[in-house]
Amino acid sequence: MDPHSLPHDGVRQPDGVIALTLTTTLVLGRGRTVPLPVCFRYDRQQPFAVLLELPEPGGLGSARWVFSRDLLQSGLHRPSGEGDVRVWPPCCCNDRPDVRMMLRDSSASALLDVPVQPLREWLVSTWEAVPPGDENALIDWDSVTEALLGEG
């Protein structure tokens, strides 16, 4: 068993959500890190998006980032993203075997090292659930249009 993973890796929940709960490394500074459990969620009802949840200090809730599944996939192979979410692939030259993620919002940022193998396997399961190019067929475009026009 992967030492970074927790028991719920790759679990397909009853509502169709594919979840990955694992322990990442929160980078605090040069040589200073702490383990941090996170949860990635993929929902066929929102086929373009990935939800990442991080626990808030004191266990009073969680911080959430929603970003493109394609961004996460690209980040396995090359630096990707801009703005609030950026992803870098593992880097042998820096002796960093994990995927690195920078998450920002208006008041804070977090730098995470995410174990690449469970993340890659989880992404494969999301692509098996909704193959590339099939995302549009799963969206209720009438509801989206109504919401945008304030008719819902």
Side-chain angles (χ1 to χ4, degrees):
M1 184 168 166
D2 183 336
H4 296 290
S5 60
L6 296 174
H8 303 301
D9 288 354
V11 170
R12 191 177 300 253
Q13 299 174 344
D15 58 5
V17 172
I18 302 169
L20 171 67
T21 302
L22 53 73
T23 301
T24 64
T25 302
L26 176 63
V27 179
L28 300 174
R30 176 167 265 149
R32 293 181 43 222
T33 63
V34 295
L36 181 69
V38 302
C39 185
F40 290 90
R41 295 184 191 281
Y42 179 75
D43 184 348
R44 290 175 44 95
Q45 301 302 312
Q46 297 175 347
F48 290 106
V50 167
L51 170 67
L52 174 60
E53 293 180 300
L54 286 75
E56 297 256 341
L60 300 175
S62 61
R64 297 177 177 191
W65 277 266
V66 177
F67 50 91
S68 160
R69 177 172 63 157
D70 287 339
L71 168 70
L72 194 53
Q73 181 71 40
S74 295
L76 293 176
H77 308 286
R78 65 183 178 279
S80 299
E82 55 187 55
D84 293 344
V85 179
R86 296 180 185 195
V87 183
W88 293 271
C91 181
C92 301
C93 59
N94 289 328
D95 196 30
R96 185 174 45 78
D98 297 326
V99 171
R100 180 157 281 180
M101 296 184 73
M102 170 68 80
L103 306 168
R104 294 191 248 195
D105 68 13
S106 59
S107 62
S109 65
L111 186 62
L112 302 175
D113 285 339
V114 181
V116 69
Q117 194 58 35
L119 182 61
R120 182 177 285 125
E121 291 170 2
W122 176 79
L123 271 169
V124 166
S125 69
T126 73
W127 293 116
E128 289 170 348
V130 179
D134 288 359
E135 297 94 345
N136 280 328
L138 297 172
I139 295 177
D140 180 352
W141 290 107
D142 290 336
S143 295
V144 170
T145 303
E146 288 175 9
L148 289 172
L149 297 174
E151 298 174 0

